[in-house]
């Protein structure tokens, strides 16, 4: 018999159930050193999906497993493997109901991840008339622990429950702001610099970083017509903040925060009257074309508490490409 799967995202269980879960597992419980096969498969499927969007891996939690197992057993024994009523719960959760063939951990996670095609990362929203909440919970960056359980009923229906801690998939008010962006591209092997200023009249930029790309590498990257740069902060990077940088999904090195120097200050002052465009700048005492620049308006979008994005909106015709820069928190 064909396997029919229906996925629903839920963020909570009842208050009474929370009390039972708290009694069933000690707060300090940790995962065993050798995980069962099903646990390894749940983790592998989740972490593969998270790695695809440059999000850190989850760890297996015995406490979450105990909570999921308790609820799955209750649904099997009392509710015939129906979806659990999860309200007012402290964990994030995904559920999957199946009928017919057995549901493997990989099948369950793959079903949730299929909603990726309906999710817009920049706006942290789902496509019209579609749901994507289960996928968002799978890849939610701040979630760090996972615990799953499965139950099968006599009529060959089954229920899969995964809990996530800290919970994800909550929404914050979106905020969009236009900022002026200048990309300084030195001729030669020097690295490209990105400057973003929320107010063109302010002296210091809100963002000023050196990207791990030379001018030729940057130009080559945007030839694809779509350029996505993702900056993931390096913990404990010292006085100078650094980010692991990905260009169209490929790891390219480390970006670093800069202080505006004499050369950069001259470029920004020279560009004051330029609203948007691309071209060359001649520095005094240098050969013509010593600097290339790209300048325009970027839309700053904060779609969740763990990321913000800058999308080029004017001019949209630079090299016919679509440019976005994502800063992860």
């Amino acid at each position: 018999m064909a396997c029919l799967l229906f996925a629903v995202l839920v963020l909570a269980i009842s208050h009474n159930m929370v009390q039972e879960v708290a009694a069933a597992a000690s707060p300090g419980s940790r995962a065993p050193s050798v995980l069962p096969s099903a646990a390894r498969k749940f983790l592998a499927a989740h972490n593969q999906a998270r790695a695809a969007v440059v999000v850190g891996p989850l760890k297996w939690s015995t406490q979450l497993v105990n909570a999921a197992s308790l609820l799955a057993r209750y649904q099997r024994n009392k509710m015939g493997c129906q979806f659990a009523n999860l309200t007012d719960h402290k964990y994030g959760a995904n559920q999957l109901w199946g009928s017919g063939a057995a549901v493997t951990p990989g099948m369950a996670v793959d079903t949730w991840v299929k909603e990726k095609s309906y999710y817009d990362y920049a706006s942290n929203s789902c496509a019209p008339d579609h749901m994507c909440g289960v996928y968002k919970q799978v890849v939610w960056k701040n979630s760090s622990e996972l615990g799953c359980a499965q139950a099968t009923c006599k009529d060959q229906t089954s229920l899969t429950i995964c809990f996530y801690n800290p919970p994800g998939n909550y929404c914050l008010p979106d905020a969009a702001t236009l900022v002026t962006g200048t990309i300084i591209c030195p001729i030669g092997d020097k690295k490209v610099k990105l400057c973003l200023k929320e107010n063109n009249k302010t002296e210091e930029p809100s963002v000023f970083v050196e990207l791990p790309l030379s001018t030729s590498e940057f130009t080559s990257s945007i030839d694809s017509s779509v350029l996505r740069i993702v900056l993931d902060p390096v913990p404990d990077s010292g006085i100078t903040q650094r980010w692991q940088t990905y260009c169209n999904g490929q790891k390219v090195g480390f970006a670093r925060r800069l202080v505006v120097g004499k050369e950069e200050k001259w470029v920004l002052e020279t560009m004051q009257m330029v609203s948007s465009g691309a071209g060359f700048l001649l520095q005094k005492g240098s050969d013509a074309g010593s600097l290339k620049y790209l300048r325009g308006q970027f839309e700053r979008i904060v779609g969740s508490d763990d990321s913000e994005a800058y999308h080029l909106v004017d001019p949209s015709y630079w090299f016919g490409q679509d440019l976005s820069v994502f800063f992860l928190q």
Side-chain angles (χ1 to χ4, degrees):
M1 180 183 297
C3 179
L4 303 177
L5 301 177
F6 301 89
V8 171
L9 174 75
V10 287
L11 297 179
I13 62 176
S14 69
H15 178 73
N16 289 337
M17 183 60 69
V18 171
Q19 300 304 316
E20 294 174 9
V21 169
S26 61
S29 60
R30 296 182 178 180
S33 56
V34 179
L35 295 177
S37 174
R40 295 197 301 270
K41 292 176 181 178
F42 272 118
L43 269 179
H46 275 85
N47 289 337
Q48 181 179 2
R50 293 169 69 87
V53 290
V54 200
V55 175
L58 297 171
K59 295 181 180 179
W60 196 250
S61 165
T62 300
Q63 182 169 337
L64 296 185
V65 171
N66 289 345
S69 297
L70 182 64
L71 183 57
R73 288 197 302 270
Y74 176 85
Q75 294 302 117
R76 179 194 63 194
N77 298 337
K78 302 294 185 180
M79 305 300 294
C81 288
Q82 296 179 20
F83 278 124
N85 177 21
L86 304 179
T87 55
D88 301 326
H89 178 41
K90 63 181 179 180
Y91 299 132
N94 280 342
Q95 294 187 88
L96 187 73
W97 179 88
S99 175
V103 177
T104 66
M107 289 170 59
V109 179
D110 286 347
T111 301
W112 297 330
V113 172
K114 284 180 180 178
E115 289 191 357
K116 179 179 182 178
S117 60
Y118 304 129
Y119 176 55
D120 179 58
Y121 183 87
S123 63
N124 190 35
S125 62
C126 305
D129 302 320
H130 290 283
M131 294 187 298
C132 63
V134 290
Y135 170 70
K136 288 169 64 179
Q137 176 59 88
V138 169
V139 299
W140 196 265
K141 184 180 180 182
N142 285 354
S143 295
S144 59
E145 295 180 316
L146 173 70
C148 303
Q150 294 180 296
T152 302
C153 287
K154 294 180 180 179
D155 60 356
Q156 296 304 305
T157 59
S158 66
L159 183 65
T160 301
I161 299 175
C162 284
F163 282 156
Y164 307 81
N165 188 48
N169 199 40
Y170 52 85
C171 297
L172 297 177
D174 289 346
T177 306
L178 283 181
V179 302
T180 300
T182 306
I183 300 176
I184 303 172
C185 305
I187 301 299
D189 295 330
K190 292 183 179 180
K191 303 301 182 182
V192 169
K193 299 168 185 175
L194 170 66
C195 172
L196 297 168
K197 297 179 67 175
E198 294 190 13
N199 184 341
N200 197 38
K201 295 181 180 180
T202 59
E203 184 173 346
E204 294 297 326
S206 55
V207 174
F208 188 48
V209 298
E210 180 184 76
L211 300 174
L213 297 168
S214 66
T215 296
S216 60
E217 290 170 333
F218 178 78
T219 303
S220 176
S221 296
I222 61 177
D223 283 344
S224 64
S225 80
V226 176
L227 178 56
R228 297 285 185 266
I229 299 174
V230 178
L231 291 90
D232 193 13
V234 177
D236 303 322
S237 56
I239 298 176
T240 302
Q241 185 175 5
R242 296 195 305 155
W243 295 265
Q244 178 68 69
T245 305
Y246 300 81
C247 183
N248 287 344
Q250 299 296 316
K251 189 181 294 186
V252 294
F254 294 93
R256 63 188 181 101
R257 185 178 296 278
L258 296 177
V259 176
V260 177
K262 182 178 180 180
E263 178 181 275
E264 293 81 22
K265 185 177 181 180
W266 174 82
V267 172
L268 297 177
E269 289 177 348
T270 304
M271 300 296 297
Q272 283 285 344
M273 302 305 295
V274 179
S275 59
S276 62
F280 296 89
L281 286 179
L282 173 62
Q283 288 181 287
K284 186 180 296 185
S286 300
D287 294 334
S290 60
L291 285 176
K292 293 181 180 180
Y293 69 86
L294 302 177
R295 186 170 171 88
Q297 296 298 303
F298 287 74
E299 185 179 37
R300 176 178 180 264
I301 297 177
V302 180
S304 69
D305 71 332
D306 60 356
S307 69
E308 64 181 27
Y310 295 85
H311 305 283
L312 177 65
V313 293
D314 177 39
S316 59
Y317 51 80
W318 282 347
F319 302 101
Q321 58 90 32
D322 179 4
L323 173 62
S324 295
V325 182
F326 299 87
F327 285 86
L328 306 182
Q329 303 297 327

